Amino acid sequence: MDIFKSGLLSPMGIEEKSKPFDDPKYIYEVKYEWARCLAYLEAGRTRLIDKKCEDISGKFPELSELHMQVRGRCILDGELVVGTGDRSCREPLHRRSNLAHPLMIKMGAKFMPAVFVAFDIIYYHNRQITQFPLISRKKLLGRIVHENRQIKLSRYVEGAGAALFEAARAQRLGGILAKKKSAPYLIGENTKDWIKIKN
């Protein structure tokens, strides 16, 4: 079954919460504060699907050409971020998400532009790759995404969760995620292999 054509998917959920820890079996990355979504990217088209399986592409016209920044047809998992992604950015993105009038959406895109921060890839070149270990998917993601103002890659560190948590807290970010390197991607399911450590 081609999951790109089979209908809209729900991203993998995060079940566990914990205190900061260090473990060489994990990678650690910043947890931003706002909208989780999947980006369906193919020649000539970008679709952004939120965790409720609703198409929110029309709300963020500044991201309509993300497909130009990847090598090949893919589905990326990530977050929409306004500004730096700290707690103060919750309200602007909330307002952006609620805009309905085309003129207001256009103004929002100009004055409060969003960025898609990609942290995983679950489909590439007509193939579902959810069974690949996370660290392999991360390396593939780094090879196929060309960053610009609209799309960024989530940076990660290996093993040093406590230090990253302290840095995130100093920047007033939402916290960090600890992710097991060997973890598969479970579409629409919660996993204990991704651990949320909230600030």
Side-chain angles (χ1 to χ4, degrees):
M1 178 180 67
D2 187 339
I3 63 171
F4 202 100
K5 298 178 179 178
S6 63
L8 303 182
L9 308 174
S10 297
M12 184 167 75
I14 304 164
E15 188 171 282
E16 294 288 309
K17 296 183 181 179
S18 178
K19 294 181 179 179
F21 64 94
D22 295 336
D23 190 324
K25 295 179 182 178
Y26 285 79
I27 63 169
Y28 301 87
E29 57 193 346
V30 169
K31 172 72 176 76
Y32 292 101
E33 283 295 302
W34 260 99
R36 177 89 176 273
C37 71
L38 297 178
Y40 289 66
L41 309 177
E42 59 183 327
R45 189 180 187 194
T46 292
R47 285 188 298 159
L48 300 175
I49 309 301
D50 69 12
K51 58 186 179 181
K52 297 179 182 177
C53 291
E54 295 179 359
D55 192 326
I56 58 172
S57 309
K59 300 278 188 180
F60 300 94
E62 69 272 33
L63 303 180
S64 63
E65 295 186 350
L66 294 187
H67 59 275
M68 301 287 288
Q69 301 304 123
V70 297
R71 295 179 181 176
R73 189 180 192 220
C74 59
I75 301 174
L76 307 183
D77 192 354
E79 289 188 278
L80 295 181
V81 176
V82 168
T84 61
D86 66 19
R87 293 175 180 179
S88 66
C89 293
R90 284 185 172 191
E91 182 59 27
L93 191 49
H94 182 66
R95 291 203 304 268
R96 287 289 316 272
S97 299
N98 288 327
L99 295 177
H101 191 282
L103 179 58
M104 299 305 294
I105 290 173
K106 184 176 180 179
M107 290 179 64
K110 181 177 181 179
F111 295 109
M112 295 184 292
V115 178
F116 182 76
V117 180
F119 54 71
D120 210 334
I121 177 169
I122 63 176
Y123 179 97
Y124 184 59
H125 267 326
N126 303 317
R127 184 180 181 188
Q128 181 175 338
I129 57 171
T130 52
Q131 74 280 9
F132 287 15
L134 170 64
I135 198 67
S136 298
R137 300 195 309 271
K138 283 283 194 183
K139 291 177 180 177
L140 175 61
L141 185 66
R143 290 197 300 269
I144 72 163
V145 172
H146 302 281
E147 295 180 290
N148 66 3
R149 291 182 181 179
Q150 286 74 45
I151 185 168
K152 303 292 183 184
L153 291 174
S154 176
R155 301 301 192 259
Y156 63 89
V157 299
E158 299 186 39
L164 184 63
F165 179 80
E166 290 304 319
R169 184 162 63 177
Q171 294 295 316
R172 301 180 68 245
L173 300 175
I176 66 171
L177 295 172
K179 300 179 178 180
K180 192 173 288 186
K181 294 178 182 179
S182 60
Y185 190 101
L186 307 175
I187 295 171
E189 298 181 32
N190 285 351
T191 178
K192 294 182 179 180
D193 290 333
W194 289 14
I195 302 171
K196 184 187 301 181
I197 306 171
K198 294 188 71 175
N199 177 13

